[in-house]
């Protein structure tokens, strides 16, 4: 095993060290990341999560990347909190296409007292379907965090988005310290953390390194680290932002893999703008989770059958749920894979 692969789980990364990881020749970085990856994971399994926006648009925050901010006019149709039954139907649909985790997102600064009972019902209902549960609802106080944990919420998604230094260029209505405080509540309540960021906001290499340092230097690494590529939405201040160099995106996944060797690194938003070759490189760099299903929160994601076809071409299988080896569910996932593939063949045959 080479030097990089033998690095233990650390929480004391410096900027100079992380920049040195980024600056390795591309092939060395990818080789090192893949070596670390193989030491901790089955390199041919990728976890699949499905997203649902449970409350859409009119958000009071001013995140410059976000189509749901009420500060910008993106033409998005607002929706109030969805009914619990509709959410459970969407979760059942996600399970039927082979998803193992259902992530519910709300365009809130924080949940309100009147909405909490419905949100808790959603967690209980989705869990009862045999799916892992994840929510992203904005800032939480201690009590709200505790009640989500008691309802059975497995993961809370709360992104740091970028480095502390660059944060104020992107969001002015909340602080980095607020974000870290919510992450601490989530940990204290015993839930798993999903936290990552976005590339393509106009950030520098130091900002990308700075984001990964914040995540990796937390007392415990987030179990899930989503790396999003900005989806440029018309009407947002970042709609004309420069494209991220695909190799720089892959490098960031590889560095995240090396710094947080036991975490799932998610190739998150932006896959619709990536070709198959770039996604294959992302998996080689150590990404081992994706959002699966035709929609992210409000923007498009690749069709499920297209993803399953890509998995089959790469010899990748969807990962079973973490909690226990759930053979029944694994069989259902693999059946869904077969069905997705055959529907793709049928489509091809018909044209
Ligand atoms: N409102 C909650 C919050 O911000 O914590 C939860 C929902 S918010 C939409 C979840 C995450 O989606 C954000 O933290 C951001 O990282 C990501 N996101 C939002 N818009 C995006 C875009 N246009 N491209 C890529 N990622 C985006
Ligand atoms: C994350 O890091 N990315 C997801 C999820 N966590 C909630 C959201 C991506 C949103 C992309 C823009 C949209 O569809 O609205
Ligand atoms: Fe609101 Fe979340 Fe979008 Fe920011 S990222 S505007 S908090 S929905």
């Amino acid at each position: 095993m080479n030097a990089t692969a033998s690095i233990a789980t650390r929480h004391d990364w410096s900027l100079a060290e992380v920049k040195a990881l980024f600056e390795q020749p591309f092939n060395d970085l990818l080789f090192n990341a893949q070596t670390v990856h193989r030491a901790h994971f089955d390199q041919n399994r990728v976890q699949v999560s499905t997203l649902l926006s449970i409350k859409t648009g009119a958000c009071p925050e001013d995140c410059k990347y976000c189509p749901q901010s009420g500060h910008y006019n993106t033409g998005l149709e607002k929706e109030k909190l969805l009914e619990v039954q509709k959410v459970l139907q969407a979760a059942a649909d996600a399970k039927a296409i082979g998803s193992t985790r259902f992530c519910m997102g709300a365009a809130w600064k924080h949940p309100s007292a009147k909405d909490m009972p419905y949100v808790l019902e959603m967690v209980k209902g989705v869990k009862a379907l045999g799916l892992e549960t994840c929510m992203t609802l904005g800032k939480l106080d201690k009590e709200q965090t505790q009640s989500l944990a008691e309802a059975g919420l497995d993961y809370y998604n709360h992104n740091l988005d970028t480095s502390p230094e660059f944060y104020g260029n992107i969001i002015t209505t909340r602080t980095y310290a607020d974000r870290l405080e919510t992450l601490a509540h989530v940990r204290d309540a015993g839930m798993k953390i999903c936290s990552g960021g976005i590339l393509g906001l106009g950030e520098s290499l130091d900002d990308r390194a700075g984001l990964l340092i914040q995540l990796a230097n937390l007392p415990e690494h987030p179990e899930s680290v989503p790396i999003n590529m900005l989806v440029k939405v018309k009407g947002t201040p970042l709609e004309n932002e420069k494209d991220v160099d695909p190799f720089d995106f892959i490098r960031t996944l590889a560095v995240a893999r090396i710094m947080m060797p036991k975490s799932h690194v998610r190739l998150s938003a932006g896959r619709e703008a990536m070709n198959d070759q770039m996604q294959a490189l992302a998996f080689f760099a150590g990404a081992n989770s994706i959002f699966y299903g035709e929609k992210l929160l409000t923007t498009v994601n690749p069709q499920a059958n297209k993803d399953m076809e890509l998995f089959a071409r790469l010899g990748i299988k969807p990962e079973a749920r973490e909690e226990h080896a759930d053979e029944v569910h694994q069989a259902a996932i693999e059946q869904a894979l077969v069905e997705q593939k055959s529907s793709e063949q049928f489509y091809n045959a018909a044209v």
Side-chain angles (χ1 to χ4, degrees):
M1 196 179 269
N2 69 34
T4 311
S6 63
I7 289 173
T9 303
R10 288 177 47 189
H11 304 267
D12 59 353
W13 291 92
S14 71
L15 185 60
E17 279 178 308
V18 177
K19 283 177 76 172
L21 289 178
F22 270 100
E23 283 160 7
Q24 290 175 86
F26 189 73
N27 282 343
D28 291 345
L29 174 58
L30 258 67
F31 178 80
N32 288 330
Q34 175 68 198
T35 310
V36 171
H37 190 48
R38 282 167 185 255
H40 298 284
F41 289 100
D42 176 342
Q43 66 277 6
N44 297 316
R45 295 249 174 214
V46 169
Q47 189 276 333
V48 293
S49 297
T50 296
L51 278 168
L52 177 71
S53 178
I54 58 169
K55 187 269 163 186
T56 305
C59 183
E61 306 275 32
D62 68 353
C63 314
K64 286 202 174 98
Y65 49 75
C66 187
Q68 304 203 65
S69 168
H71 295 255
Y72 320 120
N73 187 2
T74 61
L76 184 70
E77 213 164 294
K78 307 179 263 199
E79 271 177 21
K80 52 184 192 339
L81 187 63
L82 288 183
E83 286 162 28
V84 176
Q85 269 319 314
K86 286 195 178 152
V87 174
L88 299 187
Q89 185 54 55
D93 294 346
K95 184 172 175 174
I97 61 162
S99 202
T100 56
R101 188 177 309 157
F102 195 64
C103 304
M104 295 158 268
W108 287 327
K109 186 178 185 67
H110 52 72
S112 70
K114 81 170 178 9
D115 288 323
M116 276 308 282
Y118 299 102
V119 163
L120 298 176
E121 279 314 302
M122 291 173 195
V123 175
K124 290 180 196 156
V126 172
K127 217 171 161 64
L129 289 171
L131 286 159
E132 292 176 337
T133 52
C134 176
M135 282 192 159
T136 181
L137 313 171
K139 187 175 162 66
L140 297 179
D141 64 28
K142 272 192 170 180
E143 222 175 70
Q144 289 171 327
T145 319
Q146 197 55 45
S147 55
L148 286 165
E150 280 162 16
L153 188 64
D154 297 305
Y155 288 80
Y156 196 71
N157 166 250
H158 202 62
N159 289 341
L160 294 176
D161 283 336
T162 189
S163 68
E165 294 76 18
F166 193 64
Y167 199 75
N169 294 52
I170 301 298
I171 305 157
T172 68
T173 52
R174 64 179 184 223
T175 65
Y176 218 79
D178 289 338
R179 295 301 263 189
L180 292 170
E181 187 183 77
T182 294
L183 290 180
H185 290 331
V186 174
R187 262 299 171 240
D188 291 346
M191 286 184 285
K192 293 181 185 145
I193 290 181
C194 172
S195 187
I198 311 181
L199 302 198
L201 305 173
E203 73 287 346
S204 64
L205 172 64
D206 280 21
D207 295 316
R208 291 177 190 164
L211 165 70
L212 296 180
I213 289 172
Q214 287 292 321
L215 296 167
N217 289 357
L218 287 169
E220 279 178 75
H221 293 169
E223 284 77 4
S224 162
V225 180
I227 305 293
N228 297 276
M229 188 169 83
L230 177 69
V231 179
K232 293 182 222 174
V233 179
K234 200 164 176 321
T236 61
L238 299 180
E239 65 171 303
N240 296 318
E241 200 51 55
K242 206 164 116 266
D243 282 345
V244 183
D245 176 336
F247 296 128
D248 290 344
F249 188 86
I250 302 293
R251 280 177 183 277
T252 308
L253 293 171
V255 174
R257 163 53 61 230
I258 291 168
M259 293 173 72
M260 292 169 278
K262 297 181 183 161
S263 305
H264 278 78
V265 174
R266 181 171 305 115
L267 173 59
S268 304
R271 287 197 302 118
E272 187 64 3
M274 297 176 196
N275 64 21
D276 290 348
Q277 296 88 321
M278 179 169 173
Q279 293 186 61
L281 265 187
F283 297 133
F284 189 75
N288 60 346
S289 171
I290 59 166
F291 286 122
Y292 175 62
E294 64 193 34
K295 212 166 167 203
L296 291 164
L297 289 172
T298 66
T299 63
V300 289
N301 198 40
Q303 296 284 333
N305 59 1
K306 225 180 144 236
D307 279 340
M308 285 304 166
E309 198 196 26
L310 179 61
F311 275 20
R313 286 167 70 206
L314 300 176
I316 289 173
K317 288 193 168 172
E319 187 183 279
R321 278 175 49 198
E322 275 169 8
E323 252 173 38
H324 45 87
D326 180 345
E327 282 167 19
V328 176
H329 193 50
Q330 181 61 30
I333 295 169
E334 297 198 356
Q335 182 56 30
L337 169 72
V338 170
E339 282 164 13
Q340 290 295 334
K341 270 172 62 194
S342 58
S343 73
E344 175 69 12
Q345 277 155 12
F346 177 73
Y347 174 76
N348 283 341
V351 284

